[in-house]
Amino acid sequence: MAAHPTVAAHQKPGRSYVITRRLVGRAARRPCQARPVTEMTQALGDTTVVCLSAMGPVPFAAMLLGDLGAQVIRVDRPGRAGSVTGLPPEDDPRTRGHWGIGIDLRAAAGRAVLQRLVTRADVFLEGMRPGATEKLGIGPDELLRVNPGLVYGRATGWGQSGPRAAEAGHDINYAGVAGGVFPLGPSGEPPLPPLNLLADFGGGGVYLALGVLAALHQREVTGRGQVVDASMVDGVASLTTMLHGMLAAGLWSDRRGENLLDGAAHFYRTYRTADDRFIAVGALEPQFYAQLLDALELAPPEWPQHDRSRWPELSARLAAVFASRTRSGSWYSRAATRASPRCFRWPRPPPRPSCASAGPSWSGAGYPSRPRRPGCRTRRWSSGPARACAVIPTRSSRTSATQAARSPRSVPTRWSARPRGHQTKGKEGPPCVMP
């Protein structure tokens, strides 16, 4: 297919191009723009995300979109740094590669700065209580009026409406009501808190990012933005879909500690070793269970896999086997040559934050991540005395917030002139390359 004349004039021979079309401002379509396709091109490399600083799902969703290549601009409250975790935003691994700017959204001039950012953005994310952004004048109606192609993403605990919509809560509350906490923990003991992985990250952040991606895809067809509302209680309920199916089929019990995946099965749980460490055993499939028994030199006839009446006995016997061996013993070397890696692994504590070293590391998902150097801070805009827009200062500051408030084009031009990976000097550390 022949390229559009406007596009063909800017294409170079011998290079492949992807044609993109974006909406900016008042539904004004730019001519089709071509960007070269290279091995380093990321899926969201031409996408800009503006997010309000928040806890829980919003920074996690912004992190996921940023990992896919999006340029993320985080709006902080002036003089309001840090979080309930004690980790300041500039040192939070979830904010890696983000730009940060402090804006007083209660002032008209501050809201004007935000609207100018949104004019050139593709996605806006917020995690305030229902109705809070509407009271500030930055709700969906106001921002979609400024940019009709905007994808307005919002995350709440109980949803935008309903009897609990205005109630406060945390991950454990939303996950508990949705049924995600009760299955966790041993029999006869209270359910265990799921950290904040279920509601904040799984049912909130991931579902919010998924909805944003779907809305961006639909915008390519309709040319219009939309509102994406992610409720954490609904997200956790969705995550429990398989358990409800197994419960309805009689394959799962509502009694904790008696099921296949909750620690009752001797071949799917953790054990303590002789050196007071732990090992995670996961041998669900018959072939892997056979490899596990072979690696531990156990007789298969004495270890039936799916006889539930013997699971407590076999769990105690297998616990005694591992309690007599250390993780550094020679038995593991023999087992590693016989059993599949799926049979057992060493549970490790979470790695230190990405700023702990300057070299590459392996994340829990199995792919390498690029940690920041010690003292390296999140990229921020420059500081200066401002009434409505107070930006946290850094050494690399050049453009003042008052200048940003005066010129509608100064703020977007400032960040767009510095590509991802630009070297900056952190306030408390040496020069570093942001991921």
Side-chain angles (χ1 to χ4, degrees):
M1 180 181 295
H4 189 278
T6 305
V7 175
H10 299 282
Q11 291 182 352
K12 295 182 180 180
R15 300 184 70 176
S16 301
Y17 287 81
V18 170
I19 308 301
T20 62
R21 179 172 295 175
R22 296 177 61 186
L23 288 173
V24 180
R26 297 180 177 276
R29 283 184 178 270
R30 289 180 179 177
C32 292
Q33 297 178 345
R35 56 184 174 90
V37 177
T38 65
E39 293 182 359
M40 298 301 294
T41 299
Q42 293 181 281
L44 300 182
D46 60 347
T47 303
T48 300
V49 178
V50 176
C51 68
L52 300 185
S53 181
M55 297 187 301
V58 170
F60 190 74
M63 181 198 76
L64 296 178
L65 298 175
D67 288 347
L68 294 175
Q71 187 74 256
V72 180
I73 304 170
R74 189 187 68 254
V75 177
D76 298 321
R77 300 180 187 179
R80 185 77 178 274
S83 65
V84 295
T85 63
L87 194 64
E90 62 270 20
D91 294 329
D92 191 335
R94 293 173 298 173
T95 65
R96 54 181 180 263
H98 295 183
W99 294 86
I101 181 172
I103 300 178
D104 186 1
L105 296 176
R106 294 171 297 181
R111 293 191 294 271
V113 173
L114 178 66
Q115 289 182 355
R116 281 194 289 273
L117 290 176
V118 169
T119 299
R120 297 193 176 189
D122 301 281
V123 179
F124 178 80
L125 301 178
E126 62 95 359
M128 294 186 175
R129 298 231 189 133
T133 56
E134 286 81 356
K135 291 180 181 179
L136 289 173
I138 56 173
D141 294 339
E142 291 82 4
L143 296 191
L144 286 172
R145 190 180 304 116
V146 172
N147 182 1
L150 183 70
V151 175
Y152 193 111
R154 56 200 333 185
T156 59
W158 311 106
Q160 294 294 326
S161 60
R164 294 190 175 183
E167 294 182 8
H170 286 290
D171 180 284
I172 192 171
N173 307 121
Y174 312 131
V177 171
V181 176
F182 181 81
L184 307 178
S187 176
E189 298 290 337
L192 296 177
L195 301 180
N196 65 330
L197 303 179
L198 272 182
D200 281 352
F201 299 155
V206 172
Y207 277 66
L208 176 60
L210 177 62
V212 167
L213 294 177
L216 289 173
H217 176 72
Q218 189 176 38
R219 190 183 66 174
E220 295 296 319
V221 178
T222 64
R224 305 288 299 179
Q226 59 182 286
V227 178
V228 176
D229 183 14
S231 167
M232 285 181 269
V233 68
D234 292 338
V236 175
S238 176
L239 292 175
T240 63
T241 299
M242 185 190 73
L243 297 184
H244 286 289
M246 296 178 68
L247 183 64
L251 301 176
W252 191 272
S253 169
D254 58 0
R255 294 182 297 275
R256 189 169 52 258
E258 298 184 5
N259 299 286
L260 180 66
L261 304 177
D262 62 1
H266 60 285
F267 50 87
Y268 197 85
R269 51 167 294 180
T270 59
Y271 293 94
R272 186 186 298 270
T273 56
D275 50 357
D276 202 27
R277 301 168 81 181
F278 301 91
I279 187 169
V281 175
L284 290 174
E285 296 83 352
Q287 65 272 26
F288 297 134
Y289 183 69
Q291 291 178 7
L292 173 65
L293 297 181
D294 180 65
L296 297 177
E297 299 178 343
L298 302 176
E302 300 178 7
W303 294 83
Q305 183 176 13
H306 292 292
D307 187 351
R308 290 178 176 254
S309 63
R310 296 192 60 187
W311 278 1
E313 170 205 346
L314 298 179
S315 294
R317 291 173 58 186
L318 199 55
V321 171
F322 284 114
S324 65
R325 309 183 185 193
T326 64
R327 285 188 6 178
S328 58
S330 59
W331 71 274
Y332 180 71
S333 300
R334 292 195 313 272
T337 61
R338 300 183 184 182
S340 168
R342 300 186 185 186
C343 291
F344 45 83
R345 288 290 191 185
W346 307 131
R348 292 185 176 92
R352 297 185 65 184
S354 60
C355 59
S357 67
S361 64
W362 287 91
S363 65
Y367 56 85
S369 60
R370 292 192 301 166
R372 296 182 287 176
R373 295 183 183 179
C376 179
R377 297 166 66 90
T378 303
R379 291 180 286 189
R380 294 182 180 276
W381 273 311
S382 54
S383 64
R387 297 176 182 174
C389 180
V391 184
I392 300 176
T394 64
R395 286 183 186 175
S396 59
S397 305
R398 291 191 180 90
T399 305
S400 68
T402 51
Q403 292 173 342
R406 289 177 190 149
S407 172
R409 301 184 63 84
S410 61
V411 173
T413 302
R414 180 71 184 98
W415 64 257
S416 61
R418 297 173 61 186
R420 294 173 66 86
H422 181 78
Q423 288 192 354
T424 64
K425 283 189 177 182
K427 184 178 180 181
E428 302 174 355
C432 56
V433 179
M434 300 300 295

